[in-house]
Amino acid sequence: MPITTLPVYPDPPDDSGIPAARDDGWPVAAVNEDKLVDSAALRRMADRLAAPGTANVHGILVARSGRLVFERYFKGTDEINNRQVENVTFDADTLHNVKSVSKSVASLAVGIAIDRGIIGGVNEPIFSFFPELADLRSPEKEGIRLSHLLTMSLGLKWVEAIPSNEDDNDEVRMHTAPDPCRYVLSLPVTALPGREFFYNTGALTLLSAIRRKSTGRPLDEFAREALFEPMGITRLAWARVKGIAMPEGDCACGHAIWQKSASSSSRAAGGTVAR
């Protein structure tokens, strides 16, 4: 998805936290307009976050009654294509790796596809979308529905809770498999579908493939038309991955959507990114 160029606006000359007016859909409160906002306390909080050795927070935005009343950015680290980048100076035009927030975006895209009648509903059996994986069917796996992908309750064995454990991590093995969808659905059954929750990026890989098969469009293209543009979100980037079920590539919907902490993307969505 191309990143559009936005106009540059001057930022306040100091660390006052006074928001800069931008054409991004957020009205900005005038200085001291809201008497219930303790600007001094917000500045002290921001000063503590800016101190060396504190949490890696990219920015703080505070809105009240629909108006932005405080906005301040910091320096820190970020991650680009699984590579940590040091000493980033964040501002209102910086894109951020918001990680698994992307999973919710992928789920919203599936909901829109259901609303449009492209996908029948959350009770659709997932093997109906993967006829090429019919050899993996079993009486236990036949019960897996789309709803179980959305709630990460497939009932298949999955190890992901310790990201640093690269030697025993199904997410890593899935991404290196020739067919990520086959890898996920070939895992052994540990519970009936819907009975147990396990955090599972593999569920989102299946979900992405199902939506791609149903709409015929990569997730970034579909989400741009159906979700982001109606919300006024215009500047973001999303990496694509390839697999047998997605030979032209689709988005890694388990992670790695990049979005702004302010301005026309997450300002419009009312979000603040802090890691």
Side-chain angles (χ1 to χ4, degrees):
M1 181 179 298
I3 299 177
T4 58
T5 301
L6 297 180
V8 177
Y9 297 88
D11 285 316
D14 52 25
D15 294 329
S16 65
I18 299 172
R22 302 169 185 269
D23 294 331
D24 58 13
W26 267 104
V28 173
V31 179
N32 298 324
E33 176 183 341
D34 194 327
K35 302 300 182 182
L36 294 180
V37 174
D38 190 338
S39 298
L42 291 174
R43 286 194 297 271
R44 290 194 298 270
M45 175 267 296
D47 288 342
R48 288 196 297 270
L49 290 174
T54 57
N56 183 34
V57 177
H58 295 185
I60 296 291
L61 288 82
V62 179
R64 174 176 158 76
S65 301
R67 291 178 178 273
L68 199 62
V69 297
F70 187 85
E71 178 177 17
R72 185 162 162 193
Y73 301 93
F74 309 99
K75 295 181 180 180
T77 62
D78 202 358
E79 186 177 296
I80 300 176
N81 296 328
N82 295 319
R83 178 175 59 88
Q84 184 165 298
V85 180
E86 304 286 345
N87 301 319
V88 180
T89 299
F90 299 100
D91 59 27
D93 292 316
T94 304
L95 294 177
H96 306 260
N97 187 344
V98 297
K99 294 288 188 176
S100 289
V101 170
S102 310
K103 290 180 169 67
S104 296
V105 176
S107 298
L108 285 169
V110 169
I112 293 171
I114 292 174
D115 184 63
R116 293 182 175 183
I118 300 172
I119 296 176
V122 296
N123 291 321
E124 292 289 314
I126 62 169
F127 275 104
S128 66
F129 298 99
F130 296 100
E132 72 277 14
L133 302 181
D135 58 298
L136 299 178
R137 288 175 179 262
S138 70
E140 297 85 2
K141 293 180 181 180
E142 288 286 358
I144 302 176
R145 300 290 187 263
L146 188 59
S147 61
H148 301 132
L149 303 184
L150 292 164
T151 56
M152 296 187 183
S153 58
L154 288 73
L156 301 181
K157 183 180 179 181
W158 188 265
V159 177
E160 186 183 345
I162 308 175
S164 61
N165 188 4
E166 300 297 331
D167 293 331
D168 187 19
N169 189 310
D170 281 303
E171 182 184 13
V172 174
R173 289 191 286 265
M174 175 186 69
H175 286 310
T176 58
D179 185 345
C181 294
R182 173 173 285 276
Y183 176 83
V184 177
L185 288 175
S186 67
L187 294 171
V189 173
T190 58
L192 291 175
R195 292 290 182 88
E196 297 180 355
F197 167 84
F198 283 99
Y199 191 84
N200 189 330
T201 298
L204 271 295
T205 295
L206 295 175
L207 201 67
S208 181
I210 288 171
R211 189 216 44 75
R212 176 73 169 85
K213 285 166 164 278
S214 301
T215 66
R217 301 164 65 187
L219 179 57
D220 53 354
E221 294 180 5
F222 182 78
R224 178 179 57 191
E225 173 268 319
L227 183 62
F228 292 131
E229 288 182 352
M231 294 177 65
I233 298 174
T234 58
R235 189 170 183 263
L236 54 91
W238 206 332
R240 290 188 184 181
V241 295
K242 292 185 178 182
I244 292 177
M246 300 173 286
E248 298 177 4
D250 203 350
C251 298
C253 64
H255 55 83
I257 182 174
W258 288 65
Q259 205 167 355
K260 297 174 67 179
S261 64
S263 199
S264 59
S265 55
S266 61
R267 267 197 186 183
T272 301
V273 175
R275 293 202 299 118

